[in-house]
Amino acid sequence: MANADKFKKVIAHAKEYGFVFQSSEIYDGLSAVYDYGQNGSELKNNIKRYWLDSMVKLHENIVGIDSAIFMHPTVWKASGHVGAFNDPLIDNKDSKKRYRADVLIEDFVEKINIKIKKDIAKAKKRFGDAFDEKEFRSTNGRILDRQKKIDEILLRFKTAMEKEDLADVKQIIIDNGIICPVSGSKNWTDVRQFNLMFDTKLGSVSEEADVIYLRPETAQGIFVNYLNVQKTGRMKLPFGIAQIGKAFRNEIVARQFIFRMREFEQMEMQFFIRPGEEDKWFEYWKSLRMKWHEALGLGKEKYRFHDHENLAHYAKAATDIEFDFPFGFKELEGIHSRTDFDLSQHQEFSGKKLQYFDPELNKSYVPYVIETSIGVDRMFLTVLATSFEEEEIKKENGKIETRTVLRIPPALAPIKAAILPLMKKDGLAEKAREILDDLKYDFNCQYEEKDSIGKRYRRQDAIGTPYCITVDHQTLEDETVTIRERDTMQQERVEIRKLSSIIDGKVNFKNLFKKLR
Ligand code: ATP
């Protein structure tokens, strides 16, 4: 199935099975804002728990906080967001559509890239085993020309952005004949900078009210609490502060479902360290964060690092963990070595000392920071899109049937087990409820008695429930049930008293945490 088709199916499935709904849908929705339904919110909570526990429970020196969304307006001056949290935007006068100029240019470059890839694929076919891609790239005239064009465009764009030369950004679009995908015209407005922060007013009297912002990231809530946590928790360097919370960005182009939203959630951790130790800790967090992703078993080949070449002036190093989304490799998480930039800025703007007295060195300094930052919603999308499968199964009568199954990592599955009485009568429903009453304290379970057992299995497959437990007449005689496993569809007769440990063995977070050692 083509990726685009699969992605459409995933989005439809997310709605049909109570994972993700368009916000305010009965009013035709609100662009790039989504609600999580009964199954989606469970999956999301499990993702958050996996992240927070891996930080706070597994590290003696990391603690969690929950800071407010509203912050003092000066915070965003100190952080640089008021001056520089901008995207360059451009409008097409014919279609009246608005675009991010950088995205238009990147998409144009990607088209040239695709042509290069096609040439390479053709040559590979022609030359067979003897084909050497590296040599072909460095000698084939057409490819060299195309690569040169890409390099020139990207360099010119980078220089224009650094010089804040928005006229030249527009000129790049004109010179390369980039057209509006909707109107097909080159009738562009000038490029303008657009600040992504939402603002609102604090206070009841509007004339006197101060403009404040909805936070565009959770990290600043951590920086401004650095000293509070360090002092009250008697934390010694190195130590980390982790936080999960909502962030808001007025994204110009919102697309790709929950990949780019205007209201979303972040999981961020700032690790405060002694200056000079940043390279060691940067490597530590790079490797641990990758392990965290890989432990889920979605496929190692789906992740890659993308090191930033154009670093912010204060950054020592930065890398993205990219994921192979249905629309290609895109940023899932950022890991940044941020020096003492953030704390020093807050020190300067607030006039309060934000330092650490290092007893070993017998001196005070502003700690350096390594940051890990990941979007909950993007993480949710990796799990949902990768676990969605339409599987063909051969029935006993030889017929082929398709079952839709979400192979969600068991620890993250919204429902861990479904308890299904074969029929309502003969005391089977009561027995099933008895089992449910026993399991529900440890696991999120569901009881279902409607429709045939086959239909009930399909419904549970479609929401990714690892186990279905069926209660039949034999159960009443010998205290056994059949337990069916989601991925293999294997059924096994087991004693009721063993159910808890069987389910636990599969869904316990410990299975994931052990892989992080
Ligand atoms: P992008 O380049 O995709 O806009 P970014 O570099 O601006 O992302 P950061 O500011 O580093 O993103 O934010 C950290 C993480 O927050 C990202 O890796 C991503 O997972 C998530 N994130 C950022 N913006 C959004 C958004 N609009 N919707 C959903 N998640 C987001």
Side-chain angles (χ1 to χ4, degrees):
M1 196 183 345
N3 275 344
D5 290 342
K6 183 176 170 193
F7 192 37
K8 273 190 197 144
K9 284 191 176 175
V10 169
I11 296 171
H13 190 86
K15 180 180 172 192
E16 190 179 344
Y17 286 92
F19 282 87
V20 183
F21 306 127
Q22 176 83 58
S23 157
S24 323
E25 197 188 289
I26 57 168
Y27 292 97
D28 295 334
L30 187 64
S31 168
V33 186
Y34 291 90
D35 296 337
Y36 287 84
Q38 65 279 17
N39 290 317
S41 59
E42 289 294 334
L43 171 55
K44 200 175 176 207
N45 283 337
N46 291 337
I47 290 172
K48 291 196 261 184
R49 181 170 160 214
Y50 175 40
W51 183 86
L52 193 63
D53 283 0
S54 78
M55 289 291 175
V56 174
K57 264 197 193 167
L58 301 195
H59 289 90
E60 281 173 44
N61 57 349
I62 299 183
V63 291
I65 63 162
D66 183 7
S67 72
I69 287 172
F70 291 141
M71 302 182 74
H72 193 284
T74 311
V75 166
W76 305 109
K77 289 193 184 127
S79 69
H81 284 82
V82 170
F85 194 51
N86 300 320
D87 277 341
L89 69 82
I90 188 166
D91 291 1
N92 182 269
K93 290 184 202 162
D94 298 321
S95 68
K96 309 268 183 280
K97 289 273 172 206
R98 177 161 290 177
Y99 298 92
R100 262 171 66 175
D102 54 329
V103 172
L104 278 181
I105 293 169
E106 274 162 21
D107 285 353
F108 179 73
V109 163
E110 187 52 31
K111 276 188 198 145
I112 309 178
N113 238 330
I114 289 171
K115 283 186 189 153
I116 294 181
K117 279 185 191 149
K118 274 191 186 153
D119 279 350
I120 289 175
K122 260 195 225 157
K124 219 179 216 168
K125 224 172 161 185
R126 192 153 21 103
F127 294 114
D129 287 345
F131 182 68
D132 181 342
E133 183 177 327
K134 217 170 160 190
E135 196 188 316
F136 187 69
R137 274 181 182 273
S138 61
T139 50
N140 181 281
R142 204 153 65 162
I143 291 192
L144 284 173
D145 284 349
R146 288 188 165 139
Q147 191 57 50
K148 190 167 161 235
K149 188 164 182 191
I150 291 179
D151 295 343
E152 277 170 8
I153 294 173
L154 291 180
L155 180 67
R156 186 170 163 199
F157 176 64
K158 182 176 165 241
T159 316
M161 288 304 287
E162 276 168 8
K163 288 194 192 147
E164 295 180 28
D165 184 354
L166 296 181
D168 197 46
V169 174
K170 178 179 178 181
Q171 206 51 46
I172 297 174
I173 291 174
I174 306 275
D175 290 351
N176 287 287
I178 298 177
I179 53 164
C180 164
V182 177
S183 67
S185 89
K186 297 176 202 163
N187 196 5
W188 296 109
T189 62
D190 288 344
V191 176
R192 281 159 295 152
Q193 286 288 20
F194 176 76
N195 193 288
L196 298 183
M197 283 198 293
F198 285 100
D199 57 30
T200 183
K201 289 199 169 151
L202 191 72
S204 55
V205 187
S206 61
E207 303 88 73
E208 290 168 19
D210 286 326
V211 171
I212 55 165
Y213 300 99
L214 272 80
R215 66 179 177 200
E217 61 172 35
T218 57
Q220 299 306 323
I222 294 179
F223 289 125
V224 299
N225 278 299
Y226 155 75
L227 211 54
N228 284 336
V229 174
Q230 194 270 319
K231 290 254 183 297
T232 58
R234 295 185 297 136
M235 309 300 287
K236 295 208 166 25
L237 249 52
F239 78 92
I241 305 179
Q243 159 157 255
I244 299 177
K246 288 272 175 141
F248 304 82
R249 294 182 189 180
N250 200 0
E251 300 281 0
I252 299 166
V253 193
R255 53 179 181 179
Q256 288 149 342
F257 193 38
I258 54 172
F259 181 81
R260 190 173 298 289
M261 301 156 89
R262 298 204 165 103
E263 172 178 342
F264 58 103
E265 224 168 335
Q266 288 185 314
M267 307 189 277
E268 297 197 293
M269 194 277 305
Q270 320 293 136
F271 200 65
F272 299 95
I273 54 171
R274 188 187 276 177
E277 295 188 347
E278 61 274 18
D279 294 345
K280 176 179 94 181
W281 286 114
F282 183 67
E283 288 309 317
Y284 172 87
W285 282 108
K286 250 179 98 167
S287 140
L288 189 60
R289 291 306 303 147
M290 190 56 110
K291 266 194 200 166
W292 184 90
H293 288 287
E294 288 177 353
L296 289 172
L298 302 180
K300 282 190 179 184
E301 72 290 351
K302 295 220 154 248
Y303 304 88
R304 70 180 187 200
F305 284 115
H306 171 240
D307 293 332
H308 291 205
E309 278 156 24
N310 308 323
L311 292 173
H313 65 277
Y314 52 82
K316 261 215 79 185
T319 194
D320 293 338
I321 294 179
E322 293 187 337
F323 185 80
D324 191 6
F325 286 96
F327 35 86
F329 272 97
K330 292 267 176 294
E331 173 179 342
L332 166 63
E333 169 158 10
I335 301 159
H336 311 123
S337 178
R338 299 181 60 89
T339 67
D340 59 0
F341 174 76
D342 307 87
L343 288 181
S344 297
Q345 286 288 103
H346 287 303
Q347 192 168 254
E348 189 187 324
F349 278 73
S350 68
K352 307 269 167 20
K353 268 203 165 153
L354 297 177
Q355 299 198 342
Y356 175 75
F357 176 73
D358 191 327
E360 275 174 37
L361 301 181
N362 197 26
K363 67 171 190 182
S364 294
Y365 51 80
V366 179
Y368 271 32
V369 168
I370 306 294
E371 163 182 87
T372 74
S373 171
I374 172 170
V376 181
D377 313 271
R378 280 192 195 175
M379 188 59 210
F380 185 103
L381 187 54
T382 69
V383 174
L384 191 72
T386 313
S387 61
F388 178 89
E389 200 178 311
E390 286 179 321
E391 186 186 39
E392 293 203 328
I393 40 178
K394 207 170 178 184
K395 304 266 288 179
E396 275 164 20
N397 59 11
K399 276 193 180 162
I400 302 283
E401 210 184 66
T402 311
R403 75 157 179 155
T404 304
V405 54
L406 288 187
R407 297 186 193 277
I408 299 177
L412 304 185
I415 308 289
K416 307 301 188 205
I419 328 289
L420 318 169
L422 196 59
M423 51 179 67
K424 276 188 247 176
K425 53 184 190 179
D426 300 341
L428 296 187
E430 289 76 7
K431 187 69 190 170
R433 287 212 172 270
E434 210 179 276
I435 296 173
L436 173 75
D437 279 343
D438 189 42
L439 293 177
K440 72 182 178 192
Y441 298 103
D442 292 320
F443 313 105
N444 203 2
C445 295
Q446 214 170 57
Y447 173 86
E448 266 210 295
E449 57 181 26
K450 213 172 159 286
D451 294 327
S452 73
I453 206 79
K455 271 196 183 155
R456 281 181 269 169
Y457 282 163
R458 293 290 175 271
R459 277 205 295 269
Q460 294 300 330
D461 287 344
I463 61 169
T465 306
Y467 284 122
C468 285
I469 295 159
T470 306
V471 176
D472 56 19
H473 288 94
Q474 193 182 330
T475 311
L476 303 179
E477 287 161 23
D478 64 3
E479 291 285 307
T480 64
V481 289
T482 35
I483 184 161
R484 172 188 177 271
E485 203 268 334
R486 178 193 71 198
D487 296 339
T488 58
M489 293 188 290
Q490 294 281 316
Q491 301 191 22
E492 207 189 331
R493 192 117 210 142
V494 302
E495 291 172 58
I496 293 173
R497 63 183 183 87
K498 291 194 179 147
L499 281 176
S500 184
S501 74
I502 294 174
I503 302 170
D504 190 65
K506 184 122 182 152
V507 307
N508 202 310
F509 275 95
K510 237 192 253 170
N511 301 332
L512 297 175
F513 293 142
K514 279 185 190 156
K515 295 188 196 164
L516 305 183
R517 280 183 189 148

